[in-house]
Each structure stands twice: as C-alpha cells, then as structure tokens.
Amino acid sequence: MKSTRETNNINPTVSVDCVVFGFDGSDLKVLLVQRDLRDNLDIDDDTLVLPGDLIFEDEDILDAASRVLLDLTGIDNLFLEQIGAFGNLDRLSKDKDKIWLDLVRPTPDSRVITIGYFALVNIKNYTIKPAGFAKHVIWKDFNEVGELGFDHNVILSEAIIKLRNKLYHEPVGFKLLPKQFPLNHLYTLYNTILNSTLDRRNFLRRILKTGFLKETDNFQEGVPHKPARLFTFVEKKFTSNNNQKFKFY
Amino acid sequence: MKSTRETNNINPTVSVDCVVFGFDGSDLKVLLVQRDLRDNLDIDDDTLVLPGDLIFEDEDILDAASRVLLDLTGIDNLFLEQIGAFGNLDRLSKDKDKIWLDLVRPTPDSRVITIGYFALVNIKNYTIKPAGFAKHVIWKDFNEVGELGFDHNVILSEAIIKLRNKLYHEPVGFKLLPKQFPLNHLYTLYNTILNSTLDRRNFLRRILKTGFLKETDNFQEGVPHKPARLFTFVEKKFTSNNNQKFKFY
DNA sequence: TATCAAAGTGTATTTTTTACACTAAGTTTG
DNA sequence: CAAACTTAGTGTAAAAAATACACTTTGATA
C-alpha cells in the first residue's frame, strides 16, 4: 500500500472519506481534519472535513481509505467498513468548497463521487499526527460537530446510523474500548451512542449472556470507589447473517 | 431524467448496476440481462449480467440507476436503495469481460467503479421489454444464477444479504407482492427468501401484530380450496432507526 | 469508624416466543 | 350428495426473555 501522495495517476473522479469514531469514556468523538494545503496557501478557510482523498488509479477503494488513515494516524489495519457512495451533483458546490478545490485540485471542476468508510478505534491507542495533507486533526465531540465541508455532514449522518445499528446487532462496541475494560464503561458507551438510559441490571445480564465477554483477574486501579473487574472481548465465530434472531443488545 | 443513451459526456469511470428482485409466488427471482451490443456485433457471448450502465457526467447516481431500469422495464419511480460501491481493481478482468469491453466501450481499459442498487418489484406488474442496450432480459431463479459477468456475483451476494436483513427489520416484503394478497403468500415469501420454515401460526400472529396489515373484504378467487381473505399493506410512519427494538418478523 | 459511590446480585411480574393442536370452509371425488 | 381433501384460520399451555425494582457488597475517603 502506498503511503505517500503522488501527483501522477490519481483518479480525479473518485475519492474516499472516512468517519472515524472514538469514545473517551463519556462522549462519542469523531476524527476531523481542518482542510488545508500541502503548500501553505494563504486562504482563510478553517472548515472542518472528514479525512479523505482522491484515490489512485491502481488502488482498491478500501486500500485508499486505509492509506488515508495511515497517513493521518499512523494506524494500519484499522477496522474499516464501507458506508456507501455519495455522488450528488451538488456535493462540492458550496462557495468555500469551490475555492479550496480551485487551489488544490488539478481539475477542480471535475465531478467527484466519494465513497464513505467508517472506523471504530480505541481513542487512547493512537496519538493523532497531523501528517500528510491535513494541518490540524482533532477529535470532535459528535454532538458538537457543526457544518462540515462538502457533503460531509450527510456522510456523517449515515455513519452514525450505521454505528447505532451495528451496536445493536454486532459485537462492535469493544472496538471503541481498551483491551480490558470494566463493564460499566461498556454500559456508558451504549447509553451514550444509542442516546438512551438502559436499565443497568438488565444490560449487564444481557451483555454477559451473549458470551462475548470474558472476565479477567484484573481490576480497575486508582478509582475512588470499589474497583470493578475488568473484562475482555472474546473473538467468537460471529456472522451477522447467520442468526437473524441474534440481538447483541 | 434522460432515458436515452448519448455518446458524449459519459463518465467512463463510474457505473451503476441494479439487482432487481421479484417473487413469483414460490421462488425469488432476479432480473438479469444478456449483455449484448447495441450494434449487432458478432461475438459469441451469452454471459448474463446485472442491468447497469456507465453514468452521465451530469447525472446523480441514483438517477442513473433509475434510468437503467426505466430503459429496461419501462418502470419509473422504482423503490431503489444503494447497496454500496464496488471498486476492486480486478472486477473487469475476466477474459470474456475484456473482449466485451473492447467492443463496446470507448475506453475499454478504463478502471471502472460501480455502484450497486437494489430494487423490489411485484413481478406481475411489469412486462420486461428488452429495450435499449440489452438483447435479452430474463427473470432468473435466484438459486439458479450461475456465474455472471464482471463482479456481479459479488454484488448479488451483497444484495441478498441486504434483502434478508430488510425483510427482518422493515416492512418491505409487500413490495414484492400485489396490492392485495392472502397472508399465506407473505408467509411463503418469508420462508423462501429467508430460507427457513417458520411456524405458520406464529408468523401470522406476529405479522398481524405489527399493524402493517389491513384486512379487506376481498377473497381469493379460483382456488381449489377455501379462499383466503386478502390483505393490504398499510403505509405507516416507519423509521427503521426510530425504534431499535422493532422487529418486523 | 462512618460515609460515600459505584460494583455487583436477586427476583417477582409481565410479555414474548415457541410448539403444537385443533376447527372452519370451500372444492373435488366416488 | 356425502366423504375426503386442502388450505384458512384460531386456541393455548409451557418456556424463555424482558422489565422494573431492590438490595447487598466493597473499596476509598472523610
């Protein structure tokens, strides 16, 4: 996989954009970049966008998404899943978007279709390095995301829908947590993302019954109360189609 | 929406392909076309493919999918939903695919990313007319679909997964049936598509409890047994996200 | 040593699911 | 024209799951 940008054999009509979700213990976060120029062009544009890039001609689209995130975060092998293609004719037509495109794209008026991906990471594992194309990279509180560039709010909406559905049907919450975690962290995670207040007793019972959790001999440290036992996620054969009746929570 | 093919301003790098499902009362069907040439070129290629086409530069991708189906079936305003983007580098590289591309595409070696859509239709409503680009159009039994051209088997797999999930969570089975239908048809539909044998009593109870069905005063005619009451689908406010707990069946 | 805060467990009630059995009503057959 | 057949349509007991609370435990801190 290429990790540096080339000027030749770029496909100017197809890009990828990534929605990377993280969880800091109490809030859902999204990774955003301040779109900016490789060569310090002097325009006044602090618009935030999803990390993304045009793809290379000889690059699979999933690889392109991986490359973007590798450049951005130094993380390889991220859990990445496609959200879908976004190809509205007006998706690049805000004034500020056009100014930016004029400055950085060889063919700024080209119609570009983008393919959205989403990823879940344990926020503490990665120190985000604003390398490559983005000057500033930030974890933004999901509820405080304002207007993004291009059609990125649309992509983000699709992503959160997908995340919520997944949380409900697949063992995926773990990806947002450290290897070992107390059950209460998982509980807050569900409540935060699903925007609900589940009954704690019943949540614990059900999540344990799925068999995806294994208790360890470790406990929380440095907490001003009874330390909770830490659990790990158990990789089981899980195929979402397999059992339509399966509800993760 | 344009309904005729033009030779100029085609986007040679992005196409759409449509998976159209139908149900004939006992089997799930897929609409396939025998890829062939607008101008009767004389090659020996009876490969079946999903109906699809390159998009126009000034055309939304969803519109492109609509256009393909309008050309093919004369149906406008079809329920269409995106499956996703398919962009593997080798997706057009089978021998027969290359020969065909050489014959019909202005830039046959161009890397093409395709966006898959899926649709559900009541098979009896539409007489398929092999107009436009396809010489033969057929309803193929889903279980008897062999090797398709390009990466279309992959797209079809994604489509069936999506259909099965939808059937389970959303009131979508109706789209495959006539306006009025006996409950047993819905029951067979579920069993066929989900590849299961649900308990009939329990199925009926549950499907009625959803509130999406309204009984009519009409009954089956011309059946050699007690005629069943016909039901219709009730459009209700349904938002799949709204209630994660909702299970359609 | 008492208090606080969150961990962790118990359980009665209601609701849903499951499994199976039966009756009803048209058509066809002998 | 009655019996047989086929699918329509309904009843229900038992098991399982979801829900709504309440309570006990345990370590830290005051």
Side-chain angles (χ1 to χ4, degrees), chain A residues 134-233:
Chain A
K135 204 149 69 182
H136 301 289
V137 186
I138 54 167
W139 283 110
K140 187 91 179 175
D141 210 292
F142 176 76
N143 292 307
E144 287 162 14
V145 172
E147 187 182 355
L148 304 175
F150 312 121
D151 59 347
H152 288 188
N153 289 95
V154 176
I155 300 177
L156 185 56
S157 306
E158 291 298 313
I160 189 73
I161 290 175
K162 186 146 189 159
L163 174 58
R164 288 187 178 134
N165 276 322
K166 273 195 171 302
L167 213 53
Y168 198 67
H169 303 293
E170 295 174 37
V172 63
F174 312 102
K175 297 183 198 295
L176 291 163
L177 297 173
K179 273 269 177 325
Q180 303 201 350
F181 51 86
L183 293 185
N184 213 38
H185 284 196
L186 194 57
Y187 173 64
T188 355
L189 187 153
Y190 268 82
N191 272 328
T192 306
I193 299 180
L194 296 179
N195 219 335
S196 56
T197 43
L198 305 165
D199 181 278
R200 193 162 154 280
R201 178 68 184 102
N202 298 329
F203 175 86
L204 295 177
R205 200 198 325 269
R206 247 167 88 165
I207 213 86
L208 282 171
K209 215 179 51 171
T210 65
F212 282 103
L213 290 169
K214 199 176 71 190
E215 65 173 39
T216 71
D217 293 333
N218 306 325
F219 291 82
Q220 278 184 307
E221 282 172 21
V223 285
H225 55 76
K226 175 177 176 184
R229 184 185 287 278
L230 302 181
F231 285 74
T232 56
F233 169 60

Side-chain angles (χ1 to χ4, degrees), chain A:
Chain A
M1 185 193 315
K2 292 176 180 156
S3 74
T4 45
R5 192 184 177 86
E6 298 177 5
T7 40
N8 57 347
N9 76 324
I10 281 174
N11 182 330
T13 65
V14 180
S15 65
V16 292
D17 286 298
C18 303
V19 178
V20 184
F21 285 116
F23 182 70
D24 70 358
S26 61
D27 288 303
L28 181 64
K29 302 282 190 176
V30 194
L31 197 64
L32 296 176
V33 306
Q34 191 170 335
R35 87 178 150 200
D36 224 314
L37 310 317
R38 305 154 235 302
D39 12 27
N40 316 347
L41 279 172
D42 191 26
I43 55 166
D44 180 27
D45 183 1
D46 54 1
T47 308
L48 291 171
V49 292
L50 297 172
D53 202 4
L54 292 172
I55 68 171
F56 292 120
E57 264 303 345
D58 59 348
E59 181 181 49
D60 277 342
I61 48 181
L62 180 59
D63 287 344
S66 295
R67 168 176 56 84
V68 165
L69 290 183
L70 178 62
D71 279 3
L72 200 68
T73 63
I75 324 161
D76 212 341
N77 271 326
L78 217 50
F79 165 82
L80 264 177
E81 193 165 308
Q82 195 187 112
I83 300 167
F86 299 82
N88 279 0
L89 289 172
D90 62 356
R91 58 177 295 273
L92 304 182
S93 58
K94 290 180 198 164
D95 284 347
K96 278 198 168 179
D97 295 343
K98 284 200 282 196
I99 293 171
W100 184 84
L101 290 165
D102 276 342
L103 285 168
V104 303
R105 291 274 166 91
T107 54
D109 294 326
S110 170
R111 187 255 179 100
V112 182
I113 287 168
T114 199
I115 298 160
Y117 281 86
F118 99 122
L120 302 175
V121 305
N122 169 11
I123 209 165
K124 283 178 191 142
N125 280 5
Y126 306 112
T127 29
I128 300 308
K129 52 157 193 185
F133 46 88
K135 204 149 69 182
H136 301 289
V137 186
I138 54 167
W139 283 110
K140 187 91 179 175
D141 210 292
F142 176 76
N143 292 307
E144 287 162 14
V145 172
E147 187 182 355
L148 304 175
F150 312 121
D151 59 347
H152 288 188
N153 289 95
V154 176
I155 300 177
L156 185 56
S157 306
E158 291 298 313
I160 189 73
I161 290 175
K162 186 146 189 159
L163 174 58
R164 288 187 178 134
N165 276 322
K166 273 195 171 302
L167 213 53
Y168 198 67
H169 303 293
E170 295 174 37
V172 63
F174 312 102
K175 297 183 198 295
L176 291 163
L177 297 173
K179 273 269 177 325
Q180 303 201 350
F181 51 86
L183 293 185
N184 213 38
H185 284 196
L186 194 57
Y187 173 64
T188 355
L189 187 153
Y190 268 82
N191 272 328
T192 306
I193 299 180
L194 296 179
N195 219 335
S196 56
T197 43
L198 305 165
D199 181 278
R200 193 162 154 280
R201 178 68 184 102
N202 298 329
F203 175 86
L204 295 177
R205 200 198 325 269
R206 247 167 88 165
I207 213 86
L208 282 171
K209 215 179 51 171
T210 65
F212 282 103
L213 290 169
K214 199 176 71 190
E215 65 173 39
T216 71
D217 293 333
N218 306 325
F219 291 82
Q220 278 184 307
E221 282 172 21
V223 285
H225 55 76
K226 175 177 176 184
R229 184 185 287 278
L230 302 181
F231 285 74
T232 56
F233 169 60
V234 179
E235 272 307 340
K236 284 202 308 186
K237 62 292 147 207
F238 173 77
T239 41
S240 72
N241 267 54
N242 221 352
N243 181 2
Q244 290 284 10
K245 303 275 166 81
F246 183 76
K247 294 200 299 181
F248 193 71
Y249 182 75

Side-chain angles (χ1 to χ4, degrees), chain B residues 104-117:
Chain B
V104 303
R105 291 272 165 93
T107 54
D109 294 326
S110 170
R111 188 253 179 104
V112 181
I113 286 168
T114 199
I115 298 160
Y117 282 85

